[in-house]
Amino acid sequence: MNRAFPSYAVMASCAAWMLAGCSQQGSAPTAGQQQVQVQAQAADAARNLDTYRQLLRIGNDEMAVSMGKDIVKRFPDSDAAKEVQKTLPAIEKRYTEASEKSRLARLWLYQVAPMAGGTQSTATIENSQPAGGDRVRLVLRRHTSWGQSVFLYGSKPGFVCRGNCAIAATVDGKPVRIKAFAPSTGEPALMIRDDRAFIGMLGKAKKIGMDVTLVDGEKKQTLVYEVGGFDPAKWAAVGKGGKK
């Protein structure tokens, strides 16, 4: 019995080795299987490329950018990826610019409504920075009786401005001084002295920053407004307040 055991053990070991060898061979794809995988990937890339072309034809830049990036990532060495890379950079640039333009336009709110026995038309934007705390609105207003005005409007108790004051500001990084005054009615506002000049400046600007001091604790803040999406055509004229 003892002499038979080593022979049995060797045979069992050989059988196990052969099974392991067969298992390893089975886990590696054959040349035929590799060919099938390559063909399947090529077909998938071709289908996605066709979808990309259709998205370009209908002008859906958002989906075209997403599909194009997916093709380049999943099939980097394919003919589909090479074709996509010829058009994707320009499409992505156009989509990014259009998205930013749309975002800036949405920052503005235009309204026409009855106000104090007349009608007022406003174009309003809130500060983008600081991000926290109470928002301060920059308001362009036309009123049938009061005419045109521009002002900052925050929350009580308002701003520090004794009589006339000057706001240190930047317009697209260039320093300017803006003359202002606090309304005698006690509202939490700062009225811009030269509304025409300010509106003219705003119409050419992308970003305006204004340094103000709040009455509450005399806290200083730089209010930043991304004004590049302003559309003068949407700020309706209303009689006397319709001057431009």
Side-chain angles (χ1 to χ4, degrees):
M1 293 291 291
N2 290 338
R3 286 194 299 271
F5 178 75
S7 298
Y8 175 78
V10 170
M11 291 174 64
S13 176
C14 289
W17 177 83
M18 290 174 67
L19 287 172
C22 291
S23 176
Q24 289 174 0
Q25 289 177 0
S27 65
T30 65
Q33 289 173 329
Q34 289 179 339
Q35 182 63 25
V36 169
Q37 289 178 355
V38 169
Q39 290 174 347
Q41 285 188 340
D44 196 10
R47 283 192 296 269
N48 287 1
L49 177 60
D50 185 58
T51 300
Y52 176 77
R53 290 167 175 167
Q54 292 181 42
L55 292 169
L56 292 185
R57 281 196 292 270
I58 64 175
N60 190 332
D61 288 350
E62 180 179 7
M63 292 299 295
V65 168
S66 179
M67 178 60 73
K69 286 184 174 181
D70 184 66
I71 291 171
V72 172
K73 181 179 179 180
R74 292 175 58 197
F75 316 105
D77 299 321
S78 67
D79 290 339
K82 292 176 183 177
E83 179 176 331
V84 166
Q85 287 171 326
K86 293 178 182 178
T87 55
L88 182 59
I91 301 302
E92 186 172 11
K93 182 175 182 291
R94 184 172 70 193
Y95 170 65
T96 300
E97 290 174 350
S99 297
E100 178 64 3
K101 184 178 179 180
S102 178
R103 183 189 73 84
L104 292 173
R106 290 196 302 269
L107 296 179
W108 285 92
L109 176 65
Y110 305 89
Q111 292 181 312
V112 177
M115 178 65 179
T119 301
Q120 77 171 11
S121 170
T122 58
T124 307
I125 187 172
E126 294 183 341
N127 59 296
S128 300
Q129 297 174 20
D134 295 333
R135 297 292 182 175
V136 176
R137 286 174 286 168
L138 171 61
V139 184
L140 316 183
R141 181 177 66 188
R142 291 171 176 151
H143 190 279
T144 48
S145 297
W146 308 331
Q148 179 174 278
S149 56
V150 177
F151 55 92
L152 296 175
Y153 195 91
S155 56
K156 288 183 180 283
F159 306 92
V160 173
C161 181
R162 298 172 179 85
N164 292 316
C165 55
I167 301 172
T170 56
V171 180
D172 295 334
K174 297 179 180 179
V176 297
R177 304 286 286 183
I178 300 172
K179 293 181 180 180
F181 66 95
S184 59
T185 53
E187 294 175 322
L190 276 178
M191 310 297 295
I192 306 301
R193 279 286 180 194
D194 192 341
D195 56 275
R196 283 180 177 271
F198 185 89
I199 293 168
M201 177 180 66
L202 180 148
K204 301 174 184 177
K206 294 181 179 179
K207 188 178 292 186
I208 296 176
M210 288 184 273
D211 295 338
V212 299
T213 303
L214 306 179
V215 171
D216 187 10
E218 297 211 356
K219 181 181 178 181
K220 298 184 183 298
Q221 281 190 339
T222 299
L223 305 173
V224 178
Y225 298 90
E226 297 180 89
V227 298
F230 175 59
D231 186 351
K234 293 182 178 180
W235 184 27
V238 285
K240 181 180 177 181
K243 67 177 183 177
K244 298 182 181 179

